[in-house]
Amino acid sequence: MTPTRLVAFDLDDTLAPSKGAIDPRIADLLRALLRTVEVAIISGGNEDQFRSQVIAQLGDADGAELGRLHLLPTCGTRYLRHDGEDFAAVYAHDLAQDEKDAALTALREEAERLGLWEAEPWGEILEDRGSQITFSALGQQAPREAKHDWDPTGEKRLALRDAVAARLPGLEVRAGGSTSIDITRAGIDKAYGMSALTEHTGIPLSDMLFYGDRLDVGGNDYPVLALGVRSIAVEGWEDTADKLDELLTTL
């Protein structure tokens, strides 16, 4: 049997509700994993979200545990490791200002043209995350129910992605979560982040295991599966927790 030396996760709708903190059950499971294997979290969320959703919920995790935790916010465009005191950047592929400006303009103009620009959103629609520009159709603070109801077939996101991508040939444009579009440097996605883990840890992809809720073709977790990493599809954090209970008995 192939050994599992690193377990990686998507964040929203895999480890936690979208934009919400991880449940104490997930926190306990992550700490149990961290006592045995390396753990990575790779998601479109920014660094602040990782800190509030995950790090702040890990209680009195010690230095050894935190030293095994790899954080890759903004779809792997950033990589953070614990240096004994705090999580610090290993790398950050920030966008240049002209790239950001072009992305922000294209997102707004194409969303308006397609009738997808919300007049009364819950928070900001466009966000500059440094290494990633993110469009959230209903706003960053939209309730989960509204987000899930906005585009159940994915047609709106794909139409916007295609329209924006045609204007930004030098950048990577992806459909992210249930209402979002993410823009990064070309060639940088979750597969890039998983490959970076191999480079920095020495752990081959064959010894990694990934959990995600969007492993379908076109989903933002699919690049990990396409890379050849063993991947397990989940439907929400409760499903992830149940599957981790099973995994821990095998490690």
Side-chain angles (χ1 to χ4, degrees):
M1 179 179 292
T2 301
T4 298
R5 298 170 57 195
L6 184 148
V7 182
F9 301 91
D10 172 48
L11 180 50
D12 285 349
D13 296 319
T14 296
L15 284 179
S18 181
K19 301 291 194 302
I22 59 173
D23 186 85
R25 182 183 174 196
I26 287 288
D28 289 343
L29 288 165
L30 287 178
R31 292 193 62 183
L33 282 174
L34 287 166
R35 288 191 285 270
T36 307
V37 296
E38 305 288 311
V39 173
I41 302 173
I42 181 167
S43 173
N46 61 26
E47 181 179 335
D48 287 344
Q49 288 173 241
F50 274 57
R51 290 181 179 275
S52 63
Q53 289 179 258
V54 180
I55 302 305
Q57 313 306 320
L58 292 180
D60 59 349
D62 61 30
E65 292 170 356
L66 295 177
R68 296 191 189 98
L69 181 58
H70 308 256
L71 303 180
L72 295 99
T74 50
C75 293
T77 60
R78 291 174 179 264
Y79 179 18
L80 309 174
R81 292 290 306 274
H82 199 266
D83 62 7
E85 295 184 3
D86 197 1
F87 283 89
V90 176
Y91 67 68
H93 297 301
D94 288 345
L95 294 166
Q97 190 58 52
D98 62 333
E99 293 174 318
K100 295 179 182 181
D101 292 342
L104 291 165
T105 298
L107 282 167
R108 172 144 198 164
E109 291 181 354
E110 294 303 322
E112 290 176 339
R113 182 180 67 81
L114 293 168
L116 302 178
W117 188 266
E118 181 65 36
E120 297 181 1
W122 286 275
E124 296 295 325
I125 292 176
L126 297 174
E127 183 184 3
D128 177 355
R129 295 179 174 176
S131 54
Q132 177 176 292
I133 298 296
T134 295
F135 168 91
S136 298
L138 301 179
Q140 286 289 324
Q141 307 305 320
R144 287 189 290 276
E145 296 78 10
K147 291 169 66 173
H148 289 155
D149 292 343
W150 180 75
D151 186 26
T153 66
E155 292 179 12
K156 295 178 182 178
R157 279 172 294 150
L158 294 181
L160 181 57
R161 181 201 66 186
D162 291 347
V164 172
R167 294 180 52 169
L168 303 172
L171 297 176
E172 191 85 28
V173 183
R174 296 180 303 276
S178 55
T179 65
S180 65
I181 300 293
D182 295 326
I183 299 176
T184 64
R185 287 271 172 83
I188 300 181
D189 57 13
K190 289 187 178 181
Y192 176 92
M194 296 300 291
S195 297
L197 285 172
T198 290
E199 177 184 348
H200 289 278
T201 66
I203 298 173
L205 295 174
S206 59
D207 291 356
M208 296 182 183
L209 180 63
F210 176 78
Y211 292 79
D213 71 308
R214 292 292 313 281
L215 286 165
D216 53 298
V217 176
N220 64 353
D221 295 324
Y222 180 74
V224 181
L225 178 64
L227 187 63
V229 177
R230 288 177 295 144
S231 300
I232 296 177
V234 297
E235 298 180 1
W237 72 263
E238 298 94 339
D239 187 27
T240 303
D242 290 342
K243 287 180 166 65
L244 288 181
D245 281 335
E246 298 174 10
L247 175 67
L248 283 164
T249 65
T250 70
L251 296 178

